[in-house]
Amino acid sequence: MTVQTLIDRDIFTRICIPSNTDRSISVPFCCDLLSIAMSRAPQDCAWVTVMANLNTLAVAALTDCACIILAEGTAFDDVCRQRAIQEEIPVFSTTMPVFDAALKIWQLLGES
C-alpha cells in the first residue's frame, strides 16, 4: 500500500501531501510519547498520534515514517503545516480515535 492509496480511499483529511505519493506504507504505528516513537517507529510506518507539534515532524523525519495521521481531531498549526511541506512529510488528520485510525490502515494493508 502507498500514500496514494490513502489519498484515493479518502478516509483521512489531507493536510500536507508532497508530490511523491508512491511511498510504501508497511504497518500502522501508534504512539504519543515522542521518545518511544523515536526509538521504536518502524521505517515506512503510518504513524498515528495526537501529538501535533514540530517535534512530531522531527521524529517522523528521523525514523523515516511514510506518513503521519493526526487522530482525535488534533491539528497542526500553520508553522507545523509549513514545516511538513518543507520536509515533504505526508500528513493526514481524522476525528477517529488513534486505535480506529490504525485499524483502518491495517485493514487497507490486508487488502493489498
Side-chain angles (χ1 to χ4, degrees):
M1 181 175 81
T2 65
V3 170
Q4 185 63 49
T5 305
L6 290 183
I7 295 167
D8 294 343
R9 292 299 181 103
D10 204 28
I11 297 168
F12 306 116
T13 302
R14 292 171 243 168
I15 302 301
C16 171
I17 304 300
S19 57
N20 179 12
T21 58
D22 293 336
R23 177 78 188 263
S24 292
I25 297 172
S26 61
V27 65
F29 176 73
C30 303
C31 186
D32 293 325
L33 189 58
L34 296 178
S35 60
I36 298 292
M38 193 165 37
S39 64
R40 296 188 185 163
Q43 182 178 355
D44 299 325
C45 70
W47 180 17
V48 186
T49 183
V50 298
M51 297 300 295
N53 59 48
L54 285 173
N55 291 333
T56 303
L57 293 168
V59 171
L62 178 70
T63 60
D64 203 19
C65 292
C67 65
I68 298 169
I69 301 167
L70 298 173
E72 302 191 28
T74 59
F76 278 157
D77 62 18
D78 289 336
V79 172
C80 288
R81 223 179 340 268
Q82 288 304 314
R83 180 63 60 90
I85 291 166
Q86 189 178 31
E87 297 292 326
E88 296 191 348
I89 298 172
V91 180
F92 298 88
S93 69
T94 183
T95 58
M96 289 181 223
V98 170
F99 176 84
D100 293 346
L103 181 59
K104 289 286 186 191
I105 298 294
W106 184 256
Q107 290 167 337
L108 288 173
L109 284 166
E111 294 175 9
S112 303

